[in-house]
Amino acid sequence: MDTYSSELRALRRAGLYRERHLYPAHLHDFASNDYLGLSTHALLLEHAFEKVRSLTTHAPKASMLLNGYHPLHRELEEFLCARFGYEACLLVGSGFLGNVALIDALVRKNDILFMDAHYHASGQFLAKKLPNAHFFSHNNTLDLVQQLKNQRAQHPKGRIFIAIEGVYSMDGQVAPKEFYTIAQEYDAYLILDEAHSLGVLGRDLGGYLSYYHLKLTPRIIVLGTLSKAYGSYGAFIGASPQVVEFLCNRAKSVIYTTSLSLLDSALALVHLEHLYAHLSNYVSILEKMRVCCAQILGFSTPSNILTLPFERVQSLLNMHTSLLEAGFLCAPIRPPTVQKPLLRISLNVQPSHTLETLGALCTLLARQSFTCLRNGQILENS
């Protein structure tokens, strides 16, 4: 007898059953993290392929610390350092593995970790196993300061780590600027997960720091992904040389994992070069998309993530189906990923007619059974 059958039936009854879908290619994609639409540029893929085809090997073959560190990896790391001002950079297999490296390796016995309650699951599941980890209310600087004072008084020794996200994937909100100041005041390391903010925020699309016009410091550790706005796969950690060196020696998800795919590395590099050769165009279209949402829906987002909460899972699924029938793919996010079900709309640059397509989606949403409130929340009328 299959011991998981009853659990699967319960998930189906609750509307929480998940499965893989092959969605039709004609749908307008507002569900993925391909914010800049770079994955649709066939010519850029050709350029990446040419980079790899000229190499003597097209696979990384081993761990980065054995024989898997390739000149292409170094080229990408050097580009990221030059572009964003990191002293050192380390490629990792994914954002999940990057958070595993940071939380598992950096936080030592006498250290204290303070993590935002909405930080990504890849960091939370490890933090919850640490006796010296504490969660503060989401984006609540006052709660963080109070906990810092209490814990520092009890544990005067050791390093302090504060972990936040530049943009939170489940609400699209930007972390307050004050976290940067608090980290400096307490001489703390600031772990900044920029998965959903790099390539999206700031005058040069440089993420949280660019958005607030802040400078890098030796105690800022940036986790960025190549799989969101940059349209490839993998991730990187930008930090001081000492932090990168320590991760190479202690991070299990670096030491015991095959290094990043060479094609993904080449694709990320080509996409980044393209983005910064056409930076003003992308900055302009991203701003126009946010304005479009504001004009039609009555509220917008500071990032590229717009979320619409629902009271019931079934209502969310009905809306998802209705949007599919109209040609739009948006993401239905259900518990336990979030406390309450929500529809997540990713403001992705479309292959053509971006503003017209987004405008049509927003108009359709505005005509559905929703009432827009002043705070940007929406509730079901039915």
Side-chain angles (χ1 to χ4, degrees):
M1 180 179 177
D2 185 352
T3 57
Y4 295 104
S5 297
S6 60
E7 288 91 338
L8 288 170
R9 285 195 296 270
L11 288 173
R12 287 183 184 276
R13 286 195 299 270
L16 302 180
Y17 181 79
R18 290 166 170 81
E19 57 186 324
R20 295 165 293 176
H21 288 285
L22 293 174
Y23 289 104
H26 73 272
L27 295 174
H28 298 295
D29 177 19
F30 290 97
S32 77
N33 301 316
D34 186 25
Y35 300 125
L36 303 179
L38 293 174
S39 71
T40 65
H41 288 246
L43 187 58
L44 296 180
L45 174 62
E46 289 295 326
H47 290 167
F49 181 69
E50 288 301 320
K51 274 183 172 288
V52 176
R53 187 161 61 178
S54 65
L55 304 176
T56 56
T57 177
H58 58 268
K61 300 187 297 185
S63 163
M64 186 167 284
L65 299 171
L66 291 176
N67 190 36
Y69 191 42
H70 192 276
L72 188 55
H73 293 140
R74 174 171 285 184
E75 184 180 359
L76 177 54
E77 289 173 346
E78 289 177 346
F79 181 96
L80 291 164
C81 285
R83 182 70 244 180
F84 299 117
Y86 309 135
E87 290 187 88
C89 186
L90 172 66
L91 295 181
V92 289
S94 69
F96 197 106
L97 292 176
N99 262 318
V100 170
L102 295 175
I103 306 304
D104 184 53
L106 293 184
V107 184
R108 314 307 288 173
K109 181 179 179 180
N110 294 318
D111 299 337
I112 310 173
L113 169 66
F114 299 90
M115 180 174 284
D116 190 287
H118 287 190
Y119 197 83
H120 194 268
S122 57
Q124 283 209 33
F125 93 97
L126 279 173
K128 289 177 180 177
K129 298 178 181 179
L130 298 176
N132 49 348
H134 306 272
F135 291 89
F136 56 89
S137 300
H138 177 46
N139 270 348
N140 191 325
T141 56
L142 295 178
D143 187 31
L144 171 61
V145 169
Q146 187 59 55
Q147 291 197 42
L148 277 165
K149 290 178 179 178
N150 293 341
Q151 293 300 321
R152 179 46 98 193
Q154 298 177 38
H155 307 283
K157 296 182 179 180
R159 290 159 293 213
I160 297 175
F161 293 87
I162 300 170
I164 63 171
E165 296 187 33
V167 167
Y168 287 86
S169 62
M170 291 301 117
D171 62 21
Q173 295 303 304
V174 182
K177 179 181 180 180
E178 288 73 19
F179 284 120
Y180 177 92
T181 305
I182 292 168
Q184 288 189 316
E185 290 176 356
Y186 283 83
D187 200 24
Y189 284 91
L190 181 64
I191 296 176
L192 185 55
D193 187 331
E194 293 265 47
H196 294 273
S197 42
L198 282 173
V200 168
L201 289 185
R203 63 193 183 282
D204 62 352
L205 304 184
Y208 174 89
L209 298 174
S210 172
Y211 183 75
Y212 288 121
H213 307 283
L214 300 172
K215 293 183 179 180
L216 272 170
T217 71
R219 289 184 178 266
I220 289 179
I221 302 169
V222 173
L223 172 62
T225 56
L226 306 171
S227 55
K228 309 292 190 300
Y230 300 148
S232 182
Y233 191 74
F236 63 89
I237 295 168
S240 69
Q242 293 79 12
V243 167
V244 168
E245 184 180 357
F246 189 82
L247 291 172
C248 287
N249 283 275
R250 283 291 183 264
K252 297 180 183 66
S253 58
V254 175
I255 299 171
Y256 303 114
T257 307
T258 299
S259 57
L260 188 62
S261 154
L262 295 184
L263 181 58
D264 289 325
S265 301
L267 190 60
L269 183 57
V270 167
H271 283 174
L272 280 160
E273 290 171 342
H274 169 82
L275 167 61
Y276 284 101
H278 304 84
L279 179 62
S280 61
N281 294 339
Y282 282 101
V283 171
S284 176
I285 190 63
L286 291 179
E287 179 58 29
K288 289 177 181 177
M289 291 168 72
R290 292 164 192 151
V291 170
C292 177
C293 291
Q295 291 176 337
I296 299 175
L297 292 174
F299 63 95
S300 189
T301 171
S303 63
N304 271 47
I305 299 170
L306 190 71
T307 59
L308 312 179
F310 284 73
E311 290 297 322
R312 301 183 302 276
V313 170
Q314 192 55 53
S315 299
L316 168 65
L317 297 178
N318 291 342
M319 172 57 75
H320 179 246
T321 300
S322 177
L323 291 173
L324 287 175
E325 293 171 350
F328 297 100
L329 178 59
C330 300
I333 310 296
R334 294 166 286 172
T337 306
V338 290
Q339 289 186 340
K340 287 193 173 183
L342 59 87
L343 185 73
R344 185 173 66 176
I345 297 97
S346 298
L347 307 189
N348 293 341
V349 176
Q350 302 292 303
S352 62
H353 307 297
T354 295
L355 294 179
E356 292 87 342
T357 305
L358 177 60
L361 172 60
C362 289
T363 299
L364 180 60
L365 291 171
R367 289 175 180 171
Q368 298 296 328
S369 57
F370 293 104
T371 300
C372 295
L373 305 180
R374 287 185 302 171
N375 63 358
Q377 299 262 322
I378 58 175
L379 303 172
E380 297 154 276
N381 283 338
S382 55

